[in-house]
Amino acid sequence: MSPAARLRGLEPDWLRDPRVWRTEVLGGLVVALALIPEAISFSIIAGVDPAIGLFASFTMAVTIAIVGGRRAMISAATGAVALVIAPLNREHGFGYLVAAVILAGVFQIVLGALGVAKLMRFVPRSVMVGFVNSLAILIFMAQVPEMTDVPWPVYPLLAAGLALLVFLPKVTTVVPAPLVSIVVLTVVTVAAGIAVPTVGDKGELPSSLPVPGLPDVPFSLDTLTTIAPYALAMALVGLMESLMTAKLVDEITDTHSSKTRESVGQGVANIVTGFFGGMGGCAMIGQTMINVRVSGARTRMSTFLAGAFLMVLCIVFGPVVSDIPMAALVAVMVMVCFATFDWHSIAPKTLKRMPAGEITVMVVTVACVVATHNLAVGVVVGSVTAMVVFAKRVAHLADVTAVTDRDGTTVVYRVTGELFFASSNDLVGRFDYAADPDRVVIDLSAAHVWDASSVAALDAIETKYAQHGKTVEITGLNEPSARIHGTLSGELTGSN
């Protein structure tokens, strides 16, 4: 085999497929166009110059394309991060904001190395569904200001854009419908001289690439204590949104990604972004859905090109990009909302079959996200609610049945189910201490002891029988239950 053939054998298959290249390149271009007004809007929220948000989106996308764990996911400046760091910028200045972004990146690397990504296994499906639905609602709510108090031509342009997005894929998928919609509506508005809000109305685009440098702050303990709380909050919010988005993309693409690598990658991307004077960021869910679900991109190339195209569009084609009507981008985002929302989850047939607890968790997650405009808050509250619902459900699964032998000298209590803090609290009251015979056997062969509360309950049962002059024998413990019982029994009170 020739060296060239061996080299080709080491290449990923998609490198030799022109169709994949076309999809990735066009997907990156569509995302770049959609990133511009979003990044500018988030810059305004953070209280910084629009160029700062655009620089952050460029460096985040390019860096995470190389070091991230989830292919085709888009990371850029986001509203959640902007909300966290806005008070720091307002009270202490831009230098402190940049320093906080760098420290947040360090925190994310440490958290990633410590295995924080493994916590994602505790996020139940009902929370994930609520996360997806609330995401769709938030994306739509963000478009509402662009559809109210605007010139009347915006509405026919919006309708035309939606029509192109719906019907063009039925005719051809050679070119992404969002790109066609943006180009067509821009040409129409410019050629006809239609006065509607444009990308240029959001803010001035940068005219040069960002330059690396150190944050303009005193390198002191006082600076560290000032930025640390904001940096930690940014790190946690950024990781939460990024890992949830990665999990969503895993499900959409039916592929696996390294959440630990993604966590560390987010930290590296934020450190790079900070040294280039950006406002930091995390996974951008709306743009990720454009890239993965609408455009069909699947590789790191689309993520890298989204960042690269963003700077090219701003620096080289700034005047043209400024003329893009906001109606075109709003139409794309509305379609993203529709495609993202899990309509099956609210279908009457589904709601009839779904347990009430699962519906409650989903509704709580959506309500918290919509109320706070913070996806991380909704996920945390939803997960806690799911745990409470689960504990309440499992607590009723522990059952106790008693059988007395024929001669009346021994009673056997058979305990069935999971014994933990919720179920073991009622266990003590399930025994007849006064009327039972002198020998009591507690058979735990069909049960499992999970925690100290269960061991304490078993100790309390033995103590109560001892007060009546009766002996207790605990049998049937499986190996993990025997281990925890042997370690903690008799050690949970101060009487010994």
Side-chain angles (χ1 to χ4, degrees), residues 39-40 43 48-57 204-207 210 277-278 311:
I40 295 174
S43 299
V48 298
D49 188 82
I52 303 302
L54 291 165
F55 287 157
S57 296
E204 186 177 351
L205 302 181
S207 57
M311 281 294 98

Side-chain angles (χ1 to χ4, degrees), residues 30 136 139-140 143 147 158-170 177-178 181 286 289-290 293-295 327-343:
V30 173
I139 295 175
F140 182 80
Q143 311 312 309
M147 296 184 285
L158 180 60
L162 290 172
L164 283 170
L165 292 167
V166 171
F167 296 110
L168 183 61
K170 300 179 185 298
S181 177
M289 290 300 99
I290 293 176
R293 177 162 276 173
V294 179
S295 299
L329 299 176
V330 170
V332 173
M333 297 309 294
V334 169
M335 283 302 298
V336 169
C337 299
F338 184 84
T340 301
F341 196 92
D342 188 349
W343 298 100

Side-chain angles (χ1 to χ4, degrees), residues 133-154:
N133 290 346
S134 56
L135 158 66
I137 294 171
L138 283 188
I139 295 175
F140 182 80
M141 290 174 64
Q143 311 312 309
V144 172
E146 305 296 339
M147 296 184 285
T148 55
D149 297 324
V150 292
W152 69 265
V154 168

Side-chain angles (χ1 to χ4, degrees), residues 287-311:
Q287 271 61 29
T288 297
M289 290 300 99
I290 293 176
N291 195 46
V292 174
R293 177 162 276 173
V294 179
S295 299
R298 293 293 184 270
T299 75
R300 298 178 185 275
M301 183 195 297
S302 59
T303 305
F304 181 88
L305 290 178
F309 282 150
L310 175 63
M311 281 294 98

Side-chain angles (χ1 to χ4, degrees), residues 349-366:
K349 184 184 296 185
T350 303
L351 294 176
K352 287 180 181 179
R353 296 179 179 178
M354 191 73 67
E358 301 286 320
I359 297 174
T360 300
V361 171
M362 182 180 68
V363 171
V364 167
T365 303
V366 172

Side-chain angles (χ1 to χ4, degrees), residues 462-486:
E462 291 187 84
T463 300
K464 285 181 177 292
Y465 274 117
Q467 292 171 351
H468 287 81
K470 302 172 183 180
T471 60
V472 175
E473 180 185 358
I474 297 177
T475 64
L477 287 166
N478 58 34
E479 185 177 345
S481 299
R483 190 182 307 119
I484 190 172
H485 183 266

